[in-house]
Every structure is written in C-alpha cells, then in structure tokens.
Amino acid sequence: MTKEKDHLLGLIRTGGNMTLQQQVKLTLLLCGPAILAQVASILLQFIDASMVGSLGAVPSASIGLVSTTTWIMAGFCMAASQGFSVQVAHLIGSNDFENARKVMRQGLLSVMIFGVFISLVGLSIAGPLPRWLGGSEEINPQASGYFRIYSCFIPMMQLAFFGGSMLQCSGNMKVPSMLNIFMCAMDVVLNFLLIFPTREISLFGAQITVPGAGMGVLGAALGTGIAESITAVLMLYFLLVRSKELGITHERGSFVPTKSCLQNAFGITGPMWFQNLVMRGAYVASTVIIAPLGAISIAANTFAITAESFCYMPGYGMADAATTLVGQSLGAKRKDLSRSFARICTTLGVAMMSVLAVVMYFIAPQIMSLLSNDPDVVALGAKVLRIEAFAEAGYAASIVAYGVFVGAGDTMVPSILNLGSTWLVRIVPAIFLTKIYGLTGYWIVMCIELNVRGLVFLLRLHGDSWTKKMGNISTENGPAVAATT
C-alpha cells in the first residue's frame, strides 16, 4: 500500500499521466488512515464525554460553556501550522525538497513561539471567561478551572498540530493518523484515572480496586493535556528524524524564520485566523444564546455536537487528503489534475457523510444515551440530532471544498463566505427563534445555514478562480516558494 501510494504521488510530481481510477485510488489511500483516525477519535470522544456525563448535568455544562472558546484556541494553532504546511506541499509537488525542509524548520520555531503566546492569552482570561459567556454561579468555577488547565497545554497541542500537518502535506497520512488514535486512547485511560475517585469495580465476577484522583472536570482537562504532550513529542520524532521527505537529522539549517517565509505563511494563515475568529466567535455567540436556556439545554447541545461528529469522520478525512493532493498538484503546475482531485474528494465526502446522516437519524436516541444518563438531556439531544441529519450533505460539501481551497492557498474568499453564512444566516435568526422554540429553534437555523454554506462553496469550487491563488515569488530560501497573491 505504501509503495503504491508513493508511486502515485510520484506521478503527480513528475508529470506522469494518471487515469481516473488511479486518482480515486490515491484519494482513498490518503483519506483512509485519516478517516480511521477520525473514527477512533469520535468513538473515544464518546467514551470521554460519557465519563463526564456520568458526573451530572452541571459538570457537563461547565465544559460545554467554554468549549467554543477552546475551539477558537485550537483553530488559531491549526491555522498557524497550515500556513507553513501548504507552502511545503507546493514545494514537494515541484520536487524542491531542500526548500521544503527549510520552510519546515522555520515554521517549527514560529509555531512554538505562537503556541506560548496563545497559552498566555488563555491563562489571562480563564477567570472571567465563564461570566462573559453567561454561565451561572454553579457552573463558572469548574468551567474556569477546566479552561485554565487546557490553556497550560496549548504549546504542546500546537506542536502536535504542526507535526501532523507537515507529515500529511508530504503524503504521509498513516503516521499522524495512528498517533492521533494513540492520543485518544491515552486520553480515555488518563481521564478514567483522573476524573473518578478510587473505587471498587466488578470484573468477571471479581472486585477490583481501581485507583483514581477524583478530580472531576479538572481531571478531564489534565488527562487530555498529558495525552497531547506525549503525542506532540512522537509527531516531532517522526517528522524530524523518520520522514524521508522532511527529516533533518543529517543536514544543518537555520530555524530562524525569514521575512519572506513569514509573509508567505501569513498570506495563507491570516485569512484562516480571520475565519477562525469569525466562525468560533459565532459559536461563542451561540453559547451566549443557549446559556440562558439552562443546564439541560447546554448539556444537550454539547452532547449533540459530540454525537454529530459521528458524521464528520469521512468529511474531515477527505478534506485532509484534498489539501495534500491539490497542494502538490498545483505545486507541480498541474491545474487540471488539481480540479479533478477536488471533484473526486468532494463527491466522495458528500456521499459518505450522507449515508452516515441517515444512520444518525435512526439511532439518535441510542447515541445520546451513551453520552448522558439524564433522560431530559437524551430526549432533547436526540431531537436536535434528527434535525441536523438533514444538513450533513451540505456540511460535507463545505468541509471538503474548504480543504481544497486551503491546498490551493485560497483562504481569503472562503473566509468571507463563512462570515456571511454563519453570522447572517445562522446567528441573527437564531437570536429570535431560540427565544421562541428553545434549543430546537437554534438547531433548525443551523441546519438551514449549513445547507446554504455548502451550496455557496460548491458554486465557488465549480469556478476557476481558486486555482489561480498561488503564485511564485522569490524568497531568501532560494528558489521560488508558493504564496498567496
């Protein structure tokens, strides 16, 4: 499998002819490990969420209250990594491995500094954040503690994102996928030990004492942070030591970023940061809208979002593959091939997520019952999940198309489209409908908005402008490096 994948990627870089069958095969070879990692991640998130859910509605709501802000932090870190990995994908596509390694080295130091900065921002706002989001006094202390611990581990999360993004853009989907599965497994084990107190459990008829720290919500944050830290170290090992395309153990080079490299990165990352702020800011606004509905609605909303991720798995896996394939194709100056990969990835992503949406519709109550033992939370969560099932095809189109646009370096216009769709089609109507129909009203609006967004992204994908966003500009790294124009 690995040899076949490397052969097919080589055809892109060397200008070899590729049949439609070979293109589909390469797409599946790249997205397969990423989807598998998503499957494992979602299943383990279910287990993780059910652990917190067993503590009651208040602990669940405390995590749900700050979850949109943690997504903002993670989004900034992920975008910072992609500003460099997209450059590397284009350089690898043009067989310029020397400059690809130079960009990777400079990116590593840059994201390390950025991760520390974001961590300090998080620590500075951890105390007042739950109040800003409209949380109640019974929720706020646990929410602040959870966010404070989360912020401490942001630098390691940033390094894990960077290592995985670089490996993926080089065509290595397997290692980051396996490491992400490993991280999720560690997270579950650590949370099992840190959330609950020491207790007796029955195993095959025998009573066994299981040690536990009894930290509750704080234990969930600490377990996740430790798992991310171990994964970051392993990601960097496989990137810097084991990667045949980007490994740097046998060569010397500066890690200090050049002005041109940073400009290229910001040309890609800047719009993605803007989109992250817009999109995650909308999620924060949604939290403020939902918070007055009470702990049941907050918990149901949080668990329903977790349950809906059951449908995301192929979409995000396909988006990762699309970024790599489109980036390398455009780097090799093969515009027609990049368009073909874009169509293949989007079609497969929509088909897969549509099938899972049908499954989710019929088993929504069973999924929710795995996450919470509160019957009110389960009933409300299942209701909104069934509404959301009608949005998954449109959502799939937007997820995969965005992966295509990132690979092409086309990040500004999609960010503006997301701004209009999320705030005008979702948030503004939700302010009024949520007051009338409660949480159900919010999810109806979200369903409509995701379908609108998917249609808009498909229209842009059908055009030609996104393939022209990468140009060649000379840099201090040597030969031309792809950058947004």
Side-chain angles (χ1 to χ4, degrees), residues 101-122:
R101 288 189 290 270
K102 288 181 179 179
V103 171
M104 187 276 296
R105 279 195 299 266
Q106 295 172 33
L108 179 59
L109 180 59
S110 299
V111 300
M112 284 176 64
I113 295 171
F114 182 74
V116 172
F117 170 74
I118 294 295
S119 176
L120 293 175
V121 171

Side-chain angles (χ1 to χ4, degrees), residues 465-477:
S465 58
W466 61 269
T467 64
K468 303 174 182 178
K469 293 299 177 180
M470 298 300 289
N472 289 324
I473 59 175
S474 60
T475 73
E476 299 125 36
N477 292 328

Side-chain angles (χ1 to χ4, degrees), residues 22-178:
Q22 287 177 317
Q23 293 173 42
V24 173
K25 194 167 194 177
L26 179 57
T27 300
L28 294 175
L29 286 172
L30 289 183
C31 77
I35 292 176
L36 179 61
Q38 289 287 332
V39 171
S41 174
I42 297 310
L43 289 175
L44 292 171
Q45 279 182 41
F46 280 0
I47 298 171
D48 197 23
S50 68
M51 291 181 187
V52 177
S54 67
L55 300 176
V58 171
S60 301
S62 67
I63 294 179
L65 184 66
V66 297
S67 62
T68 49
T69 311
T70 62
W71 296 343
I72 287 178
M73 300 295 195
F76 275 117
C77 293
M78 192 174 297
S81 297
Q82 289 183 311
F84 296 98
S85 65
V86 170
Q87 293 184 68
V88 169
H90 282 251
L91 289 165
I92 289 177
S94 63
N95 274 321
D96 189 356
F97 292 98
E98 180 182 354
N99 274 300
R101 288 189 290 270
K102 288 181 179 179
V103 171
M104 187 276 296
R105 279 195 299 266
Q106 295 172 33
L108 179 59
L109 180 59
S110 299
V111 300
M112 284 176 64
I113 295 171
F114 182 74
V116 172
F117 170 74
I118 294 295
S119 176
L120 293 175
V121 171
L123 289 171
S124 69
I125 65 173
L129 178 63
R131 295 196 304 274
W132 295 346
L133 296 175
S136 64
E137 289 304 317
E138 63 176 343
I139 294 175
N140 290 352
Q142 293 185 68
S144 287
Y146 178 90
F147 189 77
R148 186 172 289 110
I149 294 175
Y150 171 88
S151 297
C152 289
F153 287 98
I154 285 177
M156 299 309 295
M157 177 181 68
Q158 173 71 86
L159 291 177
F161 282 155
F162 180 81
S165 180
M166 283 292 170
L167 288 169
Q168 287 176 343
C169 78
S170 71
N172 185 346
M173 295 289 190
K174 183 177 179 180
V175 168
S177 297
M178 294 302 103

Side-chain angles (χ1 to χ4, degrees), residues 79 82-88 90-91 259-273 327 330 402 404-415 460 465-475 480-485:
Q82 289 183 311
F84 296 98
S85 65
V86 170
Q87 293 184 68
V88 169
H90 282 251
L91 289 165
K259 180 181 179 181
S260 295
C261 184
L262 289 177
Q263 286 177 336
N264 294 341
F266 186 75
I268 299 165
T269 297
M272 295 180 73
W273 280 343
L330 289 177
Y402 188 74
V404 170
F405 299 148
V406 170
D410 175 31
T411 53
M412 176 59 79
V413 173
S415 297
R460 179 164 181 78
S465 58
W466 61 269
T467 64
K468 303 174 182 178
K469 293 299 177 180
M470 298 300 289
N472 289 324
I473 59 175
S474 60
T475 73
V481 175
T484 51
T485 58

Side-chain angles (χ1 to χ4, degrees), residues 170-192:
S170 71
N172 185 346
M173 295 289 190
K174 183 177 179 180
V175 168
S177 297
M178 294 302 103
L179 288 180
N180 281 325
I181 292 172
F182 176 62
M183 179 180 70
C184 293
M186 280 192 296
D187 184 27
V188 169
V189 172
L190 289 169
N191 284 356
F192 184 74

